[in-house]
Amino acid sequence: MQIDLNGDVGESFGAYQIGHDAALIPILTSANIACGFHAGDPGVMRATVALAREHGTAVGAHPGFPDLVGFGRREMKATPREVEDLVAYQIGALAAIAAAQGVRLSHVKPHGALYNMSARDADLADAIARAIASVDPSLRLFGLPGSKSLEAAQRHNVQVVSEAFADRAYRPDGSLVPRSERGSVIDDEAIVVKRAVAIARERMVIAADGTRVPLDVQTICVHGDTPGAALLASRIRTALSDAGIHVRAPI
Amino acid sequence: MQIDLNGDVGESFGAYQIGHDAALIPILTSANIACGFHAGDPGVMRATVALAREHGTAVGAHPGFPDLVGFGRREMKATPREVEDLVAYQIGALAAIAAAQGVRLSHVKPHGALYNMSARDADLADAIARAIASVDPSLRLFGLPGSKSLEAAQRHNVQVVSEAFADRAYRPDGSLVPRSERGSVIDDEAIVVKRAVAIARERMVIAADGTRVPLDVQTICVHGDTPGAALLASRIRTALSDAGIHVRAPI
Amino acid sequence: MQIDLNGDVGESFGAYQIGHDAALIPILTSANIACGFHAGDPGVMRATVALAREHGTAVGAHPGFPDLVGFGRREMKATPREVEDLVAYQIGALAAIAAAQGVRLSHVKPHGALYNMSARDADLADAIARAIASVDPSLRLFGLPGSKSLEAAQRHNVQVVSEAFADRAYRPDGSLVPRSERGSVIDDEAIVVKRAVAIARERMVIAADGTRVPLDVQTICVHGDTPGAALLASRIRTALSDAGIHVRAPI
Amino acid sequence: MQIDLNGDVGESFGAYQIGHDAALIPILTSANIACGFHAGDPGVMRATVALAREHGTAVGAHPGFPDLVGFGRREMKATPREVEDLVAYQIGALAAIAAAQGVRLSHVKPHGALYNMSARDADLADAIARAIASVDPSLRLFGLPGSKSLEAAQRHNVQVVSEAFADRAYRPDGSLVPRSERGSVIDDEAIVVKRAVAIARERMVIAADGTRVPLDVQTICVHGDTPGAALLASRIRTALSDAGIHVRAPI
C-alpha cells in the first residue's frame, strides 16, 4: 500500500519569500515547483530543485497563468492555444533548470485558476494534455479524480495521478465542497491526519453528510504556506508511515 | 567552403508585431528566437519555431535580460548567478516549445545588452557557458571572435561559432567600430554584399583604415527589422551561393 | 449640433509600434491614452500626450487589465476592489504625465475586457465609477448607452459620455451585434461615413433589420490601427463638418 | 529642534508580504511608498496610504526601476528621458491613490539603484528633478547631503530634504562607508539610537576614524524589514522625544 504526498513549493519571487519550502520539501514525495508566471523566478526555481534533489523529492512543474500580482488565482479567458503554449513554455523552463542539476521532471500540476478551469473545461484540459504529450509524454498529470483534466490526459496517453485533499470537505458525489461554503476546510488537525490515513488505506473519505465516498487517488495534497501547515504535513506523513503505508512518489 | 547566416527573429509580443520573420527565416540558416524576457511570448515562439522548421532553418535560443520595455538593450547589473539562471530558464522554455514540434535546439546567442556585456565580462561569460554546459552541452554558443563569451564557452567544452557583421565597420584589431561612431554601420548595400562574400570566402574584412583584417568566423549575422533588410539578406545569400559558398548551419 | 470623435491611442510599448497615432490624433477630438497595463509605457504616454496637446485633442485615460501579452482583451476575474485600485492607479499615472506638459485629463474610457465587463457587471462598473469619483470627479466616463458603466457613473455623480460605433452593426434594441456574428463589422467605408453622419445629426442608426434605432450619444469611436482606418476617420470627420456638425470634445 | 523619521513601506506585492508596515508606519513621520515598479501594487499602495493617513504620517512616492524580480536594486542603464518619465508616472499613480483618500503627497524618495545612481549622476538627478518640478513642484526630494540628486533639485527649485542613516558608518568626508566594506552597518542598537540623537541634536555623526562629521540633515532613514528593525525605529523615536527633539515631517 502506497501514497504520494505532493505540495506546492518554489513560490517565492525575487526578494519576496513565501511558504516554508525548507521545512516542507523533506516531507513531500512530489514537489510542484512554480515556473515564473504566477510565482517563482529562475533563481528560486534553481534553489527549489536543489532542495528537492537533496531530499529525494520528485520534481514537477506547477505552471500557472501569467498573473504575478494575482498569484495565478484569477481566472483569465485565455484560449486553449494560449494555454497549451504557456504550459509547454513553463514545463521547459523548469525542465532545463532541473536538468542543470541532473534532475528529470516527473509530473505536471497546473496551479490555481488554471487547475480549476481545466478541471471543468474540456478544451483547456485538452490544451494542457497536448502540451505535456508533445513536450514530454513521460510526465504524469496531477488532477482531481473525475475531472476533465484527467480525462483529457488519458485521451492523449498521458499518465494521470488523482489527488485528494485531506483538509477539504467532500460532497457525497466525490467533489469538493467549494471554499465559499462553510465547513469547506477542516481545521482540526487530528481529523485531517485521520482522513489522510483513511484516504491512503481505504481509498475513501467521509463526506460532509456522513456518506463513505470512494476516492481512487494516488496522491494527497498538503499545504505549506504557514509553519503550522508544514508541521501538519509532517504529522500526516508520520501517521501514514505508522499505518504501514509506503509514502513515495507515484511510479 | 561554407558559411552560416544567422538572424534575430521571434521578437513580436502579443498584439505587437516586429520584424519580418516570414520573409527572413527562409533566407537564414540559423534563427535566433527570442524567449519571452526581452521579447517574444509562448505563442510567438511556437509560431516562429514552426516557420524555421518549415524552412529547415536551425533553431537557437536568443535569451535576454528581463526588460521588455527596454527590449533587452539596457545593461542591468545582474549577478553571474542570476544570468546563469535566466539563460537556463530561457533555453529550456524554447527547447520545450521546439520539442513539441519535433525540433531540437542547435545553438544559443545572447541578445542585446547580455550579448555585449558577456563579450567583455568574463564572469557573465562564464555564467552563460555554465548554463549551456549544464542544460544541454550540445548547444553551440554564437559570439564575437576573441570575446570573453567564446573563451568561457571553450573552458566549459561548449562549441563556439564566431560571427561577423557584414554591415558593420571593423577596426584594424578586428573589433567593431562602436555604433556611436560615424561610419560604424555601412549603408551601401552593394558594399555590404561584397563584404559578406569576402568574409565567407577569404575569412577577412577590410577595416575602416583599409587594413585587411582576418576574421575567423563561421556565421554572418543579418538583420531583418525592415522589409529592406530582409531583401538585403536575400541578396547576400544569393551572392554567397553565386560565389560557390555553401550556405548552411554550422556542423 | 456637435459630436466628439474618440479613438484609442498610445498603445505602442517600448520598441513595439502599434497604431498610427500621428495620423489619427489630429483627427480625434478625444484621445484615449493607454496607461501601461495592457499597453503603453511612460515614454509612449508622454509622447502621445504631446501629440494630443499639439493638436488640441482632449486627453483621457484608457485603463486596462494588467495583461500586456493579451493586450487587455482577455477577461480576468478581478475583484471590484482590484479594479477600483488599478483604475485609480492608471488615471493618476497618466494625469501626472499630462500635468508635466500642462495638460489636464478630461475623461476615462476603460479598455478592452475591462470596458466590456464593466458594461454588463454593476459591481465592476461601480468600482470604476468610485475610482473616478474619488480621484478626480471632473473626469467624464465614456461608455455604451444603457450600460451598467454609465448607470454606475451617474450614481457616483460622474458625468457620462455615451458612445456609438459607426462601423458596427446594431440590433433593434440598441445593442451591438457581437463581433462573433456575421456582419457585425461594416466594411463599406461609404456606409460607415453615412452612419456616422446619421448618428451625429439624427442621433439614430439603422439596425441590421432595417429598424431606426435612437442612439443618444455624444461621441463616436473611430479606429486607427491601420493606415486605412486613420484615413476613414478623416473622411468621417470631413463628412461631419460638411454636414454642419461641430466636431469637438464634450463640454 | 526637530527631525523627521522616514522609512520605506508599501513594498508588499500581491500575495507577497514584505516589511512590517503596520508596526513601522505609526513610528514614521514620512512614509516612502513603493509605486508598483520595483515593489508595491495598486491594492498595496491603497492600503499603505490608509495606514499612513490613520497615523498622520506624511506620504511620499518611492519610485524605482521597473525590475520587480530584482526589487529595484540592480542598476539599469536607463536614459535620463526614461527615468524622467518613469518617475513622473509613479508619482502620479501614487498621487491618485492618495487623492482618493483625501491625502496629498509630500515628498519623493527614489528607491534602491535609482537612489544610488541619481546621487552620483547629474543627468539622472536632473531627470528626477525635472519630473518632480513638472508634475508637482510642491513635492520635496529626499536625498543624501551633497549628492547630485539634491543639487539638481535645487537647480529646478524643488525643495530638498537631506537624510542621514543612524545605522550606517560614515567617512570623514561625510559619505557613507560602502556596504561592501566591513563595519559599514552598525549592529549595536544602543549605538544606533545614540547616533540618531546626535544627528538630530548636534547635526553631526562620529566617523569610523573618530572624526566629528557635520551632517546637515532634516530626516533620518530607519528600516523596517524585520520585526526587530521596527522595534529599533521605535526606540529611536522615543530617544529623540526624550532628548526634547520634535519628531515631525519637514515643513
Side-chain angles (χ1 to χ4, degrees):
Chain A
M1 209 175 305
Q2 74 172 62
I3 195 84
D4 176 53
L5 283 183
N6 82 80
D8 300 347
V9 295
E11 295 187 322
S12 294
F13 181 85
Y16 296 103
Q17 299 295 312
I18 217 167
H20 292 79
D21 292 0
L24 188 63
I25 286 174
I27 301 164
L28 301 177
T29 44
S30 291
N32 317 315
I33 301 183
C35 302
F37 274 45
H38 76 279
D41 68 52
V44 167
M45 290 161 71
R46 188 236 320 138
T48 311
V49 167
L51 266 177
R53 179 173 181 266
E54 184 187 337
H55 295 285
T57 308
V59 168
H62 194 45
F65 279 123
D67 178 20
L68 191 63
V69 76
F71 206 66
R73 289 176 179 151
R74 302 188 292 193
E75 300 199 351
M76 292 182 67
K77 264 207 189 146
T79 64
R81 182 76 256 188
E82 288 168 338
V83 166
E84 181 177 346
D85 293 337
L86 66 82
V87 168
Y89 182 102
Q90 293 180 67
I91 291 173
L94 183 67
I97 299 257
Q101 302 183 43
V103 171
R104 277 183 61 85
L105 301 191
S106 63
H107 67 281
V108 175
K109 177 174 166 179
H111 168 82
L114 190 57
Y115 182 88
N116 295 329
M117 291 171 77
S118 60
R120 57 175 198 261
D121 179 324
D123 291 335
L124 295 184
D126 260 323
I128 294 173
R130 268 199 310 273
I132 297 172
S134 63
V135 170
D136 180 353
S138 76
L139 299 175
R140 288 174 176 82
L141 180 70
F142 281 34
L144 287 177
S147 62
K148 300 291 181 196
S149 327
L150 298 196
E151 286 173 18
Q154 283 164 326
R155 276 198 300 281
H156 290 272
N157 297 315
V158 168
Q159 281 190 62
V160 300
V161 177
S162 295
E163 76 174 334
F165 296 83
D167 63 350
R168 291 291 298 276
Y170 280 79
R171 288 165 165 165
D173 67 354
S175 67
L176 296 169
V177 175
R179 278 184 183 278
S180 51
E181 291 183 23
R182 244 184 93 101
S184 63
V185 176
I186 300 165
D187 292 325
D188 185 320
E189 297 209 352
I191 296 181
V192 173
V193 171
K194 228 188 220 170
R195 286 167 78 89
V197 173
I199 290 167
R201 193 161 46 187
E202 308 169 44
R203 258 54 176 177
M204 74 91 203
V205 76
I206 305 293
D209 68 351
T211 324
R212 280 178 67 99
V213 181
L215 269 190
D216 182 17
V217 298
Q218 293 85 47
T219 188
I220 295 174
C221 180
V222 296
H223 299 105
D225 20 8
T226 62
L231 189 64
L232 171 59
S234 168
R235 290 180 54 199
I236 290 174
R237 176 148 186 174
T238 303
L240 290 169
S241 297
D242 290 352
I245 296 152
H246 194 188
V247 182
R248 55 172 299 179
I251 342 179
Chain B
M1 207 174 306
Q2 75 173 63
I3 196 86
D4 175 54
L5 284 183
N6 82 81
D8 301 346
V9 294
E11 295 186 323
S12 294
F13 180 85
Y16 297 104
Q17 299 296 312
I18 217 167
H20 292 79
D21 292 359
L24 188 62
I25 286 175
I27 301 164
L28 301 177
T29 43
S30 291
N32 317 315
I33 300 183
C35 302
F37 273 46
H38 76 280
D41 67 51
V44 167
M45 290 161 71
R46 186 235 324 138
T48 312
V49 167
L51 266 176
R53 180 173 181 266
E54 184 187 336
H55 294 284
T57 308
V59 168
H62 194 45
F65 279 123
D67 179 20
L68 190 64
V69 74
F71 207 66
R73 288 176 179 151
R74 303 189 291 193
E75 299 199 353
M76 291 182 68
K77 263 207 189 148
T79 63
R81 183 75 256 190
E82 289 168 337
V83 165
E84 181 177 345
D85 293 337
L86 66 82
V87 168
Y89 181 104
Q90 293 180 66
I91 291 173
L94 183 67
I97 299 257
Q101 302 183 45
V103 171
R104 276 184 60 86
L105 301 191
S106 62
H107 67 282
V108 175
K109 177 174 166 179
H111 168 81
L114 189 57
Y115 183 89
N116 295 329
M117 291 171 77
S118 60
R120 57 175 199 260
D121 178 325
D123 291 335
L124 295 184
D126 259 323
I128 294 172
R130 267 198 312 273
I132 297 172
S134 63
V135 170
D136 180 354
S138 76
L139 300 176
R140 289 173 175 82
L141 180 70
F142 281 34
L144 287 176
S147 62
K148 300 291 181 196
S149 326
L150 299 196
E151 287 173 17
Q154 283 164 325
R155 276 197 301 281
H156 291 272
N157 297 315
V158 168
Q159 281 191 63
V160 301
V161 177
S162 295
E163 75 174 336
F165 297 82
D167 62 352
R168 291 292 298 277
Y170 279 80
R171 288 165 165 165
D173 68 355
S175 66
L176 296 169
V177 174
R179 278 185 183 277
S180 51
E181 290 182 25
R182 243 183 94 102
S184 63
V185 176
I186 300 165
D187 293 324
D188 185 321
E189 296 208 353
I191 297 181
V192 174
V193 171
K194 227 188 220 169
R195 286 168 78 90
V197 173
I199 290 167
R201 191 160 50 189
E202 307 170 44
R203 259 55 177 176
M204 74 90 201
V205 75
I206 305 293
D209 69 349
T211 324
R212 279 177 68 98
V213 181
L215 269 191
D216 182 17
V217 298
Q218 293 85 47
T219 187
I220 296 174
C221 181
V222 297
H223 299 104
D225 20 8
T226 60
L231 190 64
L232 172 59
S234 167
R235 290 180 52 197
I236 290 174
R237 176 147 186 176
T238 303
L240 290 168
S241 296
D242 289 352
I245 296 153
H246 193 186
V247 182
R248 54 172 297 179
I251 347 180
Chain C
M1 207 174 303
Q2 75 172 62
I3 196 84
D4 175 53
L5 284 182
N6 82 81
D8 301 346
V9 294
E11 295 187 321
S12 293
F13 181 85
Y16 296 104
Q17 299 295 312
I18 217 168
H20 292 79
D21 292 0
L24 187 63
I25 286 175
I27 300 163
L28 301 176
T29 44
S30 291
N32 317 315
I33 301 183
C35 302
F37 274 45
H38 76 280
D41 68 51
V44 167
M45 289 161 72
R46 188 237 320 138
T48 312
V49 167
L51 266 176
R53 180 173 181 264
E54 183 187 338
H55 295 284
T57 308
V59 168
H62 194 45
F65 279 123
D67 178 21
L68 190 64
V69 74
F71 206 66
R73 287 175 180 153
R74 301 188 292 192
E75 299 199 353
M76 291 182 68
K77 264 206 189 146
T79 64
R81 183 75 256 189
E82 289 168 338
V83 165
E84 180 176 345
D85 293 337
L86 66 81
V87 168
Y89 182 103
Q90 294 181 63
I91 291 173
L94 182 67
I97 299 257
Q101 303 183 44
V103 172
R104 275 184 62 86
L105 301 191
S106 62
H107 67 281
V108 175
K109 177 174 166 180
H111 168 82
L114 189 57
Y115 183 88
N116 295 329
M117 291 171 78
S118 60
R120 57 175 199 261
D121 179 325
D123 291 335
L124 296 184
D126 259 323
I128 294 173
R130 267 197 311 274
I132 297 172
S134 63
V135 171
D136 180 353
S138 76
L139 300 175
R140 289 174 176 82
L141 179 70
F142 281 34
L144 288 177
S147 62
K148 301 292 181 195
S149 327
L150 298 196
E151 287 173 17
Q154 283 164 325
R155 276 197 299 281
H156 290 272
N157 297 315
V158 169
Q159 281 190 63
V160 301
V161 177
S162 296
E163 77 174 334
F165 297 83
D167 63 351
R168 292 291 297 277
Y170 280 79
R171 288 164 166 166
D173 67 354
S175 67
L176 295 169
V177 175
R179 278 184 182 278
S180 51
E181 290 183 24
R182 244 185 93 102
S184 64
V185 177
I186 300 165
D187 292 324
D188 185 321
E189 297 209 352
I191 296 181
V192 173
V193 171
K194 229 189 221 167
R195 286 167 78 89
V197 174
I199 290 166
R201 192 160 47 188
E202 308 170 44
R203 258 56 175 178
M204 73 93 203
V205 75
I206 305 293
D209 69 351
T211 323
R212 279 176 69 97
V213 181
L215 269 190
D216 182 17
V217 298
Q218 293 85 48
T219 188
I220 295 173
C221 180
V222 297
H223 299 105
D225 20 6
T226 61
L231 189 63
L232 171 59
S234 168
R235 291 179 53 199
I236 290 174
R237 177 149 186 173
T238 303
L240 289 169
S241 297
D242 290 352
I245 296 152
H246 193 187
V247 182
R248 53 173 299 179
I251 344 180
Chain D
M1 208 175 303
Q2 74 171 65
I3 196 86
D4 175 53
L5 284 183
N6 82 80
D8 301 346
V9 294
E11 295 186 323
S12 293
F13 181 85
Y16 296 104
Q17 299 295 312
I18 217 167
H20 293 77
D21 291 0
L24 188 62
I25 286 175
I27 301 164
L28 301 177
T29 44
S30 290
N32 317 315
I33 300 183
C35 301
F37 274 45
H38 76 280
D41 67 53
V44 167
M45 290 160 72
R46 187 235 322 138
T48 311
V49 167
L51 266 177
R53 180 173 181 267
E54 183 186 338
H55 295 285
T57 308
V59 169
H62 194 45
F65 279 123
D67 178 21
L68 190 65
V69 75
F71 207 66
R73 288 176 179 150
R74 303 189 291 194
E75 299 199 352
M76 292 182 67
K77 265 207 188 146
T79 64
R81 183 75 256 190
E82 288 168 338
V83 165
E84 181 177 345
D85 293 336
L86 65 83
V87 168
Y89 181 103
Q90 293 180 67
I91 291 173
L94 183 66
I97 299 258
Q101 302 183 43
V103 172
R104 276 184 59 86
L105 301 191
S106 63
H107 67 280
V108 175
K109 177 174 166 179
H111 168 81
L114 189 58
Y115 183 89
N116 295 329
M117 292 171 76
S118 60
R120 56 175 200 260
D121 178 325
D123 291 335
L124 295 184
D126 259 324
I128 293 172
R130 268 198 310 273
I132 297 172
S134 63
V135 171
D136 180 353
S138 76
L139 300 175
R140 290 174 174 82
L141 180 70
F142 282 34
L144 287 177
S147 62
K148 300 292 181 196
S149 327
L150 299 195
E151 287 174 18
Q154 284 164 323
R155 275 197 301 280
H156 291 273
N157 297 314
V158 168
Q159 281 191 63
V160 302
V161 177
S162 295
E163 77 174 335
F165 296 84
D167 63 351
R168 291 291 299 276
Y170 279 80
R171 288 164 165 166
D173 66 356
S175 68
L176 296 168
V177 175
R179 278 185 183 277
S180 52
E181 289 184 25
R182 243 183 93 101
S184 63
V185 176
I186 300 166
D187 292 323
D188 185 320
E189 297 208 353
I191 296 181
V192 173
V193 171
K194 229 189 221 169
R195 286 168 79 90
V197 173
I199 290 166
R201 191 160 49 190
E202 307 170 44
R203 259 53 178 179
M204 75 91 203
V205 75
I206 306 293
D209 68 350
T211 323
R212 279 177 67 97
V213 181
L215 269 191
D216 182 16
V217 299
Q218 293 85 47
T219 189
I220 296 174
C221 180
V222 297
H223 300 105
D225 20 8
T226 61
L231 190 62
L232 172 58
S234 168
R235 291 179 53 198
I236 290 174
R237 177 148 185 174
T238 302
L240 290 168
S241 296
D242 289 352
I245 296 152
H246 193 188
V247 182
R248 53 174 298 179
I251 346 181

